Amino acid sequence: QVQLEESGGGSVQAGGSLRLSCAASGFTFSTNCMGWFRQAPGKGREGVAIINTGGSATYYTTSVSGRFTISQDNAKNTVYLQMNGLKPDDTAMYYCAAARQTYCISSYLSRSGVFGYWGQGTQVTVSS
């Protein structure tokens, strides 16, 4: 029953912007910890941003701080990732994830095992 569906990926020139969406269903969205992770070919999955959907606390990996913004719309059960000032190094498959627990800690960015539910991913490609 739990489903996470990403959308909004695409190809963009360096310096451009994209907004990713993650539509969630099958769980209590308003009291959860959700995040965006990404994986480039030949590299491991890394945490990008996390949000506590109950308290709206947010955390970002250093490389995207100031450029990316994670947000939520509880009425639509949707989490967004606004990406501005995109760089070629941002090229990756981006995944939406929901944690098994209802609280968030910044260290979860490096602990993907905390997240029990994952979407299929949406590709982001940034050209130089």
Side-chain angles (χ1 to χ4, degrees):
Q1 292 293 327
V2 176
Q3 293 189 44
L4 301 174
E5 300 179 359
E6 304 98 331
S7 62
S11 181
V12 65
Q13 295 291 116
S17 299
L18 286 172
R19 189 179 77 158
L20 307 184
S21 298
C22 174
S25 62
F27 66 98
T28 307
F29 178 86
S30 61
T31 55
N32 210 282
C33 181
M34 299 188 68
W36 288 94
F37 289 73
R38 65 186 181 186
Q39 185 169 22
K43 298 183 179 180
R45 187 168 297 183
E46 64 175 347
V48 177
I50 292 173
I51 186 169
N52 184 315
T53 56
S56 296
T58 60
Y59 309 95
Y60 301 90
T61 190
T62 302
S63 63
V64 309
S65 181
R67 298 188 296 122
F68 292 10
T69 302
I70 187 171
S71 61
Q72 67 187 68
D73 185 336
N74 287 344
K76 298 181 179 180
N77 287 349
T78 300
V79 171
Y80 304 95
L81 183 67
Q82 179 66 46
M83 305 185 293
N84 298 326
L86 284 163
K87 304 175 180 179
D89 286 347
D90 294 319
T91 296
M93 184 73 74
Y94 284 70
Y95 299 90
C96 177
R100 299 182 181 90
Q101 299 174 318
T102 59
Y103 56 87
C104 291
I105 303 174
S106 61
S107 62
Y108 285 3
L109 285 166
S110 60
R111 299 178 183 177
S112 61
V114 171
F115 297 83
Y117 308 102
W118 297 82
Q120 294 299 307
T122 185
Q123 179 68 41
V124 171
T125 302
V126 184
S127 302
S128 60

